[in-house]
């Protein structure tokens, strides 16, 4: 962490006021936005003081979750830990939401808006670990995401008497299979709690203490195709077709740490090589070709489908199918992201934020897209790269992924202050969020399947 950030934290901790505690609202409590009174929002100094008190316990919590990874749809133990921590903090908790999802509601002592915060709980399944693995493992940082969200809930619960509005915490299962958000949303939780906007963090390969905002970008969606080839030379034809479809790619899949370093740099380059791209995996097995691809901008999926159709139909007797509609891209509303960047710079320092100019990481999906289809919000990368550490230790899904635990308290500080500020905003205030109920981002619910981030 940058020394100036540490000094700033120390100053704010010394100046922090006393914190209060309190219980949350029951499930389904009205989150109707009303005009906020004249009181000031939760002070960042008070947030920092609470984080300092919780810091050691949060690290121990993350280590416990890390030792007990559970794959998509199997998060029973993790959900139990989450529910116990939330109830102990005084929140009203509902379990079993959309599978093993946990929803907790915290109502502040003063009126305000309803803001949601989402964390994903599942571990990476063996097939999605780079190079494969023997069992699910927390190699995407969801143990960090869950810990940060619990820290935010604990901090805001302790400061409830200063908190305006309602905060809804969504602990989501099955992000890696891109199915958990759909299941959780399908329960009607957003409508019942009347969420006005939603926010989330994801671990990223940036230095500890730095955040990466994604105004107008986010993460690509995913599409799949299957082609069957007939005839006596079908296996050879399938291999040729796989090569031709693979040639549609405009960016190569990373093979070395140097490739990853280049991707991270390119994603921060305005109008760089990742501002528009097609990434393709095409594999031939006997007489069948399986294709998985991601692209940006999202509208490009139609063009790629047409290219695959053209190539497939050039082989007599070939059969082509697209098993599902493309899973939607996650497009972060530009204005919201810039408001968050301003907040982070004001809270953590001018060097605390970098801006991404591309969908990143370019080869992963994210079902947070389905929330942003319904309400505005932000999705931000939390830097977890330790000084001098190889990039693969902070790049999700690599077997040596080992986030710097100092990022946990940084994430809690930033998000607790941000969520409190957003809930304090008066309904209709000029605050950076569209109140229209949708981001206009990814355009449709899309299909399911594929691997998340």
């Amino acid at each position: 962490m940058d020394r100036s950030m540490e000094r700033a934290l120390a100053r704010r901790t010394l100046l922090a006021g006393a914190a209060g505690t309190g219980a949350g609202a029951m499930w389904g409590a009205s989150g109707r936005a009303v005009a906020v009174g004249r009181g000031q929002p939760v002070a960042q100094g008070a947030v920092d003081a609470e984080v300092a008190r919780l810091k050691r316990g949060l690290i121990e919590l993350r280590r416990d979750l890390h030792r007990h990874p559970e794959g998509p749809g199997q998060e029973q133990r993790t959900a139990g830990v989450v529910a116990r921590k939330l109830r102990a903090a005084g929140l009203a908790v509902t379990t079993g939401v959309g599978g093993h999802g946990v929803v907790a509601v915290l109502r502040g002592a003063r009126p305000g808006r309803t803001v949601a915060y989402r964390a994903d709980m599942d571990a990476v399944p063996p097939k999605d670990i780079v190079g494969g693995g023997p069992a699910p493992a927390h190699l995407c940082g969801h143990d960090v995401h869950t810990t940060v969200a619990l820290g935010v809930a604990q901090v805001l619960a302790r400061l409830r008497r200063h908190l305006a509005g309602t905060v809804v915490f969504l602990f989501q299962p099955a992000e890696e299979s891109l199915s958990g958000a759909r299941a959780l949303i399908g329960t009607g939780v957003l409508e019942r709690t009347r969420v006005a906007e939603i926010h989330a963090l994801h671990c990223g390969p940036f230095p500890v203490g730095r955040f990466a905002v994604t105004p107008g970008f986010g993460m690509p969606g995913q599409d799949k195709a299957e082609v069957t080839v007939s005839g006596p030379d079908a296996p050879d034809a399938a291999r040729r077709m796989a090569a031709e479809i693979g040639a549609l790619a405009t960016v190569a899949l990373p093979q070395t740490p140097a490739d990853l370093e280049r991707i991270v740099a390119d994603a921060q380059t305005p109008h760089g090589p990742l501002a528009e791209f097609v990434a393709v995996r095409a594999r031939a097995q006997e007489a069948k070709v399986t294709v998985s691809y991601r692209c940006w901008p999202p509208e490009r999926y139609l063009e790629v489908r047409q290219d695959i159709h053209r190539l497939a139909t050039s082989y007599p007797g070939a059969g082509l199918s697209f098993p599902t509609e493309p899973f939607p891209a996650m497009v972060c509303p530009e204005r919201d992201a810039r408001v968050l960047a301003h907040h982070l710079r004001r809270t953590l320092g001018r060097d605390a934020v970098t801006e991404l100019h591309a969908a990143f990481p370019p080869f992963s999906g994210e079902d947070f897209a389905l929330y942003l289809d319904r309400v505005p919000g932000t999705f931000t990368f939390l830097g977890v790269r330790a000084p001098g550490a190889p990039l693969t230790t902070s790049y999700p899904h690599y077997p040596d992924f080992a986030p710097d635990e100092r990022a946990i308290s940084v994430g809690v500080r930033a998000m607790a202050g941000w969520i409190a500020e957003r809930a304090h905003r008066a309904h209709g205030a000029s605050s950076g969020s569209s109140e229209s109920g949708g981001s206009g981002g990814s355009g449709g619910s899309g299909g399911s399947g594929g691997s998340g981030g």
Side-chain angles (χ1 to χ4, degrees):
M1 186 186 306
D2 185 87
R3 289 185 178 178
S4 63
M5 293 183 186
E6 292 181 341
R7 289 195 295 270
L9 172 58
R11 287 195 298 271
R12 282 190 284 267
T13 300
L14 289 172
L15 294 173
T21 61
M26 295 301 294
W27 168 271
S30 174
R32 186 183 302 278
V34 296
V36 176
R38 295 182 178 179
Q40 294 299 312
V42 172
Q44 186 65 45
V47 168
D48 293 345
E50 294 298 342
V51 174
R53 296 185 182 102
L54 294 168
K55 182 176 180 179
R56 179 172 297 180
L58 290 174
I59 289 176
E60 292 174 355
L61 171 61
R62 182 260 166 177
R63 292 176 181 177
D64 174 72
L65 297 175
H66 189 80
R67 288 192 298 267
H68 300 90
E70 297 172 302
Q74 306 297 318
E75 309 90 348
Q76 185 173 0
R77 180 190 183 275
T78 304
V81 172
V82 167
R84 287 193 297 274
K85 293 289 184 180
L86 292 167
R87 289 189 177 111
L91 280 72
V93 178
T94 302
T95 58
V97 185
H100 292 300
V102 179
V103 176
V105 181
L106 172 65
R107 174 178 283 179
R110 295 185 284 129
R113 302 166 72 245
T114 298
V115 176
Y117 188 86
R118 174 269 207 171
D120 37 13
M121 301 186 294
D122 56 329
V124 180
K127 67 181 181 63
D128 292 329
I129 298 171
V130 175
H138 271 302
L139 299 176
C140 197
H142 295 191
D143 50 343
V144 174
H145 307 169
T146 299
T147 302
V148 168
L150 286 170
V152 172
Q154 291 171 334
V155 167
L156 295 184
R158 291 180 176 212
L159 299 175
R160 178 181 175 273
R161 66 189 179 93
H162 302 293
L163 179 67
T166 299
V167 184
V168 179
F169 293 91
L170 306 177
F171 290 85
Q172 181 201 303
E175 189 280 327
E176 290 294 340
S177 60
L178 297 180
S179 60
R182 189 183 305 281
L184 197 151
I185 291 169
T187 68
V189 60
L190 298 180
E191 293 79 12
R192 275 194 292 271
T193 55
R194 301 182 184 181
V195 167
E197 60 187 58
I198 189 167
H199 305 276
L201 285 182
H202 196 294
C203 292
F206 306 98
V208 172
R210 186 171 300 168
F211 294 81
V213 297
T214 54
F217 291 94
M219 283 190 176
Q222 178 180 268
D223 197 13
K224 295 182 178 181
E226 296 179 354
V227 187
T228 55
V229 184
S230 60
D233 65 341
D236 288 338
R239 286 191 289 272
R240 292 195 303 272
M241 184 185 299
E244 291 173 5
I245 293 175
L248 296 173
T250 64
V251 293
L253 298 172
Q255 302 295 325
T256 67
D259 293 340
L260 294 177
E261 294 280 6
R262 188 190 67 251
I263 285 173
V264 173
D266 287 347
Q268 298 174 79
T269 303
H271 311 294
L274 293 180
E276 296 184 1
F277 68 83
V278 178
V280 181
R281 296 180 187 269
R283 295 185 176 92
Q285 186 173 12
E286 297 299 328
K288 184 177 181 180
V289 179
T290 58
V291 184
S292 175
Y293 66 95
R294 305 181 189 275
C295 59
W296 197 273
E299 297 78 14
R300 199 165 185 178
Y301 282 106
L302 178 59
E303 174 188 334
V304 177
R305 279 197 170 197
Q306 292 172 341
D307 288 338
I308 292 174
H309 180 270
R310 172 178 53 80
L311 293 172
T313 55
S314 69
Y315 287 74
L320 169 65
S321 67
F322 294 94
T324 64
E325 289 299 309
F327 193 90
M330 183 189 72
V331 185
C332 298
E334 183 173 355
R335 189 180 181 194
D336 298 80
R338 296 196 186 283
V339 173
L340 173 57
H342 176 75
H343 167 84
L344 294 172
R345 291 189 178 102
R346 186 179 71 242
T347 302
L348 302 176
R350 294 182 61 184
D351 296 331
V353 181
T354 187
E355 182 174 321
L356 299 187
H357 300 275
F360 180 82
F363 311 119
S364 296
E366 172 54 70
D367 68 3
F368 193 73
L370 302 184
Y371 299 101
L372 291 182
D373 271 349
R374 289 158 177 80
V375 292
T378 63
F379 184 94
T380 308
F381 290 97
L382 169 67
V384 296
R385 187 178 186 179
L391 186 62
T392 50
T393 63
S394 58
Y395 205 103
H397 290 220
Y398 277 79
D400 59 339
F401 181 79
D404 190 322
E405 291 177 323
R406 290 178 297 173
I408 295 171
S409 58
V410 176
V412 176
R413 287 177 57 211
M415 289 295 103
W418 170 243
I419 295 300
E421 181 175 301
R422 301 305 301 165
H424 179 268
R425 295 283 184 177
H427 180 60
S430 177
S431 58
S433 279
S434 165
E435 297 286 340
S436 62
S439 68
S442 47
S445 59
S448 62
S451 62

